[in-house]
Amino acid sequence: MADKPISDNLERLSLNSNGDSVVKSPFVLCFGELLIDFVPTINGVSLAEAPAFKKAPGGAPANVAVCVARLGGSSAFIGKVGEDEFGHMLADVLKENKVDISGMRFDSSARTALAFVTLRADGEREFMFFRNPSADMLLRESELDIDLIKKAAIFHYGSISLIEEPCKSSHLAAMAIAKKSGSLLSYDPNLRLALWPSANAAREGIMSIWDQADIIKISEDEITFLTGGDDPYNDDVVLNKLFHPNLQLLLVSEGSQGCRYYTKQFKGRVPGLKVKPVDTTGAGDAFVGGLLSRLASDLNLYQDENRLREALYFANACGALTVTKNGAIPALPTIDEVERLVSEVAA
C-alpha cells in the first residue's frame, strides 16, 4: 500500500471552528529510534578490549519517554522495532515503565537495531552500530498514529530518524501534523556522526529542521560541530548562529557543570549537582525528560525565568542521577530519587 502524502495527513486534523488547536493531553510524545545498547561489564575499556557485554534498552527518544513516565508524567512513543525477541523485549520495557506504545510498530523484514557503547579510559564514548537497515529506519508514513500525534502537548524527536528513507519522510510528516495541531516541538539532535554518510550530511540534515523547533537542546560539542568550529561558550555564537526567530527555548547541556538557557527575554546558567559518575549514557536524555515532564503540565514555564530555573535544576538532577548507574533506561531516575537528591544537596 502506498504511503499517504503529508498533505493528506494534515487534512485529517480536526481543528475547532475558531481555528484553535485540538484539545491537548498533558503528555510527551517521543518519536524515533528504540534499540538495544550493549555495554561492557567493566568500565574504562575500548569495545575491542571489553571481556563481555550486558544488554540494556536504549535509544534517545525512547529514553526520554521512559524518563517522563518514571517522573510521574505521561508519555508515549512512536517508532519501529523488529518482529524479534529484542523488539518484543523493548516493547515490554516501555510498557513496564508506563509508556503508551500504541504508536509503536513491528517489522518482520528487519531486525531491531543494536549498538555497542563504551566509555573509554580517556572519558570518550565509543559507538558501534548494527543497522543495515534496522527496523527503526523503515517506519512508513502510513504507519503513523495520527490521532496520538494530534493529542500530544509536546512532540519530541532527534536527528537519527532523518538519515534514511522511509523514516525521514515519516519524521517530517509527524512533525508537520504535530505543528499544525499546536504541539510544542522539542528537538535534541543527539549527533551520532558514525551513522551519517558524512559530516556535511550530518550538519545539513540536523539543520534542515532547525527553524521549526520550539525547544532545542544541544551539547557544547554539537555547537562546535554545527557552527564549523566556533567557541561553544560564547553567547554571541549561540544567539547569532543557532537561536532562530521561532525558537522559545535553547538549552546547552554542560555535563556535570549544569546547563545554559537562552530565551527571547533572558539567558543564564543553572549549576549541576555533584555525584560520583559511573556511566554517562542517557544523561542528556534524562535531562530532557526531566524538563519536558515539567513543561508538559505548564507549557508557558519558559516565559518565567524563576520557574524555568527551578525546572532546569530538576532536569540537572535527573541527568546527575543517571550517570551514577550503568546503561540508559535502567539508570533513569524516579521522582522520589530526584527529590531526595535535591533535598540532600539543599541540606
Side-chain angles (χ1 to χ4, degrees), residues 106-292:
F106 295 84
D107 196 305
S108 58
S109 65
R111 296 293 190 192
T112 299
L114 308 180
F116 288 79
V117 188
T118 189
L119 186 68
R120 300 193 312 238
D122 61 7
E124 288 299 310
R125 278 197 293 172
E126 187 179 353
F127 295 89
M128 186 183 294
F129 296 95
F130 289 78
R131 51 199 307 269
N132 290 310
S134 52
D136 61 293
M137 300 158 69
L138 302 177
L139 181 69
R140 298 188 175 280
E141 198 177 327
S142 58
E143 296 175 306
L144 293 175
D145 187 331
I146 293 173
D147 290 334
L148 187 66
I149 298 170
K150 282 162 47 179
K151 290 177 195 160
I154 299 171
F155 182 74
H156 176 74
Y157 50 89
S159 67
I160 290 173
S161 44
L162 295 171
I163 298 173
E164 297 280 355
E165 292 289 5
C167 189
K168 178 181 177 180
S169 290
S170 303
H171 180 142
L172 296 177
M175 273 179 60
I177 294 163
K179 190 89 171 173
K180 177 94 174 184
S181 67
S183 303
L184 276 180
L185 300 192
S186 166
Y187 185 23
D188 178 0
N190 198 36
L191 175 65
R192 295 288 179 263
L193 262 182
L195 293 177
W196 291 87
S198 67
N200 280 340
R203 198 175 290 111
E204 288 172 13
I206 287 170
M207 296 306 293
S208 69
I209 58 169
W210 194 263
D211 62 356
Q212 297 183 55
D214 299 294
I215 301 157
I216 296 175
K217 192 282 282 185
I218 46 174
S219 66
E220 296 152 299
D221 289 345
E222 286 165 348
I223 293 174
T224 302
F225 175 76
L226 293 173
T227 60
D230 286 353
D231 180 2
Y233 303 100
N234 187 325
D235 284 350
D236 289 338
V237 167
V238 174
L239 289 168
N240 294 335
K241 292 201 171 184
L242 297 175
F243 200 97
H244 64 77
N246 299 320
L247 196 57
Q248 305 298 332
L249 176 62
L250 177 62
L251 299 166
V252 180
S253 57
E254 298 181 339
S256 62
Q257 299 304 306
C259 67
R260 280 178 278 154
Y261 59 89
Y262 302 84
T263 74
K264 290 170 182 169
Q265 288 80 34
F266 43 76
K267 63 185 181 185
R269 194 171 165 279
V270 177
L273 293 82
K274 296 271 188 289
V275 293
K276 186 175 180 181
V278 172
D279 178 10
T280 59
T281 306
D285 302 326
F287 170 83
V288 173
L291 175 66
L292 296 187

Side-chain angles (χ1 to χ4, degrees), residues 29-34 61-62 76-82 94 100-107 135-140 143-145 148 161 167:
L29 176 57
C30 300
F31 177 97
E33 68 277 7
L34 173 59
F77 175 77
I78 286 182
K80 203 173 199 184
V81 292
L94 293 192
D100 179 346
I101 62 166
S102 59
M104 196 169 160
R105 303 290 180 256
F106 295 84
D107 196 305
D136 61 293
M137 300 158 69
L138 302 177
L139 181 69
R140 298 188 175 280
E143 296 175 306
L144 293 175
D145 187 331
L148 187 66
S161 44
C167 189

